[in-house]
Amino acid sequence: EIVLTQSPATLSLSPGERATLSCRATQSVSTFLAWSQQRPGQAPRLLIYDASKRATGIPPRFSGSGSGTDFTLTISSLEPEDFAVYYCHQRNNWPRLTFGGGTKVEIK
Amino acid sequence: QLLLQESGPGLVRPSETLSLTCTVSGDSISSNNYYWGWIRQPPGKGLEWIGSMHYGGSAYYNPSLRSRVTISADTSKNQFSLRLHSVTAADAAVYYCARDSIAVAAFDFWGQGTLVTVSS
């Protein structure tokens, strides 16, 4: 099973700051890596797929990068609604899907 | 507008079967472009993929749950269902249904989730 490790577990930032979230895989997932956002009490929402492509309706302040085993989600300038939990997930070895443990972005 | 709505009992007794249904509106589960899946989230914890199915009949499951899980579709009602047998307290979670897009290789649309408690 491919294990995804997200870091840091919690990121404390202020609105307007840049957020950099990491996701590392135990083996290569090529670019079959996606990021989703989960606001409190809400269902997850897809942000990024194929490591770097923004999903429909996602603002350009969200960007993804990486390939192989190391991936990054960057939020260029945090808006109040961006304080949430972010999950990476992979499906390189479909049909074995796995999620990372999540990074919580909280208000400093 | 695409909507996915989970329904089913919020309380299941240990050793019994958890049964949930996802009703899809705004899209057809008979599309070749998508799988339809279930994901769960224990309270305060992360996400776990349970399984995904295609209307054509193929279904894939998390190996850790495969022996207890069945996902099936009712295309006439545009619904798909989850059955998880022999539940324990560890199966208590919010259960989400989601559209699993082949094009983007990711779950691109989720239901709001339903909380299932396991207790006698």
Side-chain angles (χ1 to χ4, degrees):
Chain A
E1 175 181 292
I2 296 176
V3 176
L4 300 178
T5 301
Q6 292 188 240
S7 61
T10 304
L11 196 54
S12 299
L13 295 168
S14 301
E17 288 194 295
R18 182 184 189 90
T20 302
L21 289 66
S22 173
C23 177
R24 177 164 290 178
T26 51
Q27 63 189 78
S28 175
V29 299
S30 185
T31 58
F32 290 104
L33 194 286
W35 294 90
S36 293
Q37 175 196 66
Q38 187 176 33
R39 294 171 178 153
Q42 295 188 17
R45 175 177 72 140
L46 180 66
L47 299 176
I48 301 288
Y49 66 94
D50 201 21
S52 62
K53 298 175 182 174
R54 276 190 299 276
T56 302
I58 302 303
R61 65 180 181 272
F62 291 94
S63 64
S65 63
S67 66
T69 60
D70 290 299
F71 300 86
T72 301
L73 174 69
T74 302
I75 310 170
S76 59
S77 178
L78 284 163
E79 297 287 340
E81 61 269 26
D82 298 337
F83 292 92
V85 179
Y86 293 83
Y87 293 96
C88 60
H89 40 112
Q90 70 79 28
R91 62 178 59 212
N92 182 62
N93 58 338
W94 171 257
R96 298 188 177 212
L97 285 163
T98 52
F99 289 86
T103 290
K104 181 180 182 180
V105 179
E106 65 176 22
I107 299 176
K108 186 175 182 180
Chain B
Q1 181 185 1
L2 178 62
L3 287 174
L4 283 76
Q5 181 65 58
E6 303 89 350
S7 60
L11 177 64
V12 182
R13 298 186 186 281
S15 80
E16 295 190 346
T17 297
L18 180 160
S19 296
L20 296 174
T21 296
C22 182
T23 301
V24 179
S25 56
D27 197 0
S28 170
I29 68 167
S30 299
S31 168
N32 279 319
N33 297 323
Y34 304 108
Y35 283 77
W36 302 88
W38 290 94
I39 304 98
R40 69 182 182 179
Q41 185 172 35
K45 296 188 177 181
L47 299 163
E48 180 181 35
W49 173 65
I50 299 170
S52 298
M53 57 134 279
H54 190 268
Y55 86 98
S58 57
Y60 302 97
Y61 304 116
N62 187 321
S64 68
L65 299 169
R66 183 180 292 134
S67 63
R68 298 194 292 130
V69 174
T70 304
I71 297 175
S72 59
D74 185 338
T75 55
S76 67
K77 296 181 179 179
N78 215 37
Q79 295 175 334
F80 62 104
S81 298
L82 168 70
R83 289 174 60 84
L84 179 65
H85 307 283
S86 304
V87 299
T88 69
D91 295 311
V94 175
Y95 284 75
Y96 295 99
C97 61
R99 189 176 75 175
D100 192 352
S101 170
I102 295 171
V104 304
F107 292 106
D108 67 344
F109 205 89
W110 298 60
Q112 284 301 302
T114 187
L115 177 63
V116 176
T117 302
V118 178
S119 176
S120 55

